[in-house]
């Protein structure tokens, strides 16, 4: 139920503020949940887990839509497939993060939180695809990045 509600919220946010900012906001909230979960208060930890589960649902909705819109037609399946494969590798590695609990009870939370911050930082350089035509060629793909730079320069 939490995953579904996260996806519904993500749908409306993607239409309102775009895919990029929906993703960055969701991963930012997830990062905050990870750092708040460090504290031993079991009630706040359960609340953060519930929020984190909803945010995870929204992240999956955004990333699948975003990856299919970003890649040019000729490599769209390849790009989406590589993204899915990377997610599966991360899912294989995730259970081993729990082994870090033996080192310290806060290390897994800090590790995942730092990875989320890095992901959010990298995503700042990815262009927005909302309201744009899907790229058909590699040249169209390159224009996505150039359009973002021009808009950022106009704001300054």
């Amino acid at each position: 139920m939490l995953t579904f509600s996260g996806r519904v919220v993500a749908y409306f946010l993607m239409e309102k503020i775009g895919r990029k900012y929906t993703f960055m906001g969701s991963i930012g909230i997830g990062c905050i949940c990870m750092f708040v979960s460090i504290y031993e208060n079991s009630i706040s930890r359960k609340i953060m887990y519930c929020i984190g589960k909803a945010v995870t649902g929204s992240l999956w909705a955004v990333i699948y839509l975003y990856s299919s819109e970003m890649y040019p037609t000729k490599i769209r399946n390849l790009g989406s497939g590589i993204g899915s494969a990377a997610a599966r590798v991360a899912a294989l590695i995730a259970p081993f993060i729990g082994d870090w609990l033996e080192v310290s009870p806060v290390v897994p939370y800090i590790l995942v939180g730092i990875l989320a911050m890095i992901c959010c930082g990298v995503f700042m350089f990815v262009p927005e695809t909302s309201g744009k035509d899907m790229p058909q060629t590699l040249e169209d793909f390159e224009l996505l990045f150039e359009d973002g730079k021009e808009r950022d320069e106009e704001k300054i």
Side-chain angles (χ1 to χ4, degrees):
M1 189 66 182
L2 291 169
T3 303
F4 177 74
S5 63
R7 289 182 181 175
V8 170
V9 169
Y11 171 76
F12 288 111
L13 286 175
M14 285 189 287
E15 293 299 316
K16 188 77 171 166
I17 64 173
R19 284 93 165 110
K20 179 178 180 177
Y21 296 110
T22 302
F23 181 86
M24 290 174 63
S26 295
I27 206 158
I29 292 170
C31 182
I32 291 168
C33 288
M34 290 307 294
F35 289 128
V36 171
S37 294
I38 291 172
Y39 300 103
E40 295 298 323
N41 184 349
S42 65
I43 293 175
S44 69
R45 185 174 284 178
K46 288 177 184 174
I47 292 170
M48 292 300 115
Y49 286 162
C50 291
I51 294 170
K53 183 66 175 167
V55 166
T56 302
S58 69
L59 285 170
W60 280 109
V62 174
I63 204 66
Y64 271 107
L65 179 63
Y66 195 84
S67 66
S68 68
E69 288 180 343
M70 187 168 167
Y71 293 110
T73 302
K74 290 184 178 182
I75 62 168
R76 190 165 294 137
N77 288 336
L78 177 65
S80 294
I82 289 172
S84 293
R88 301 301 175 229
V89 169
L92 286 170
I93 294 170
F96 297 107
I97 291 176
D99 292 341
W100 286 90
L101 285 169
E102 295 173 7
V103 175
S104 171
V106 298
V107 170
Y109 298 104
I110 292 173
L111 178 64
V112 173
I114 289 172
L115 290 173
M117 287 184 351
I118 291 169
C119 185
C120 190
V122 168
F123 217 80
M124 291 173 57
F125 300 104
V126 177
E128 177 62 61
T129 60
S130 181
K132 295 184 181 178
D133 292 333
M134 292 172 60
Q136 302 300 317
T137 64
L138 290 174
E139 290 80 21
D140 293 345
F141 175 72
E142 291 172 359
L143 287 175
L144 275 177
F145 286 92
E146 290 175 9
D147 286 346
K149 289 178 186 175
E150 291 172 6
R151 286 196 190 110
D152 289 342
E153 290 171 4
E154 289 174 5
K155 290 180 183 177
I156 296 174

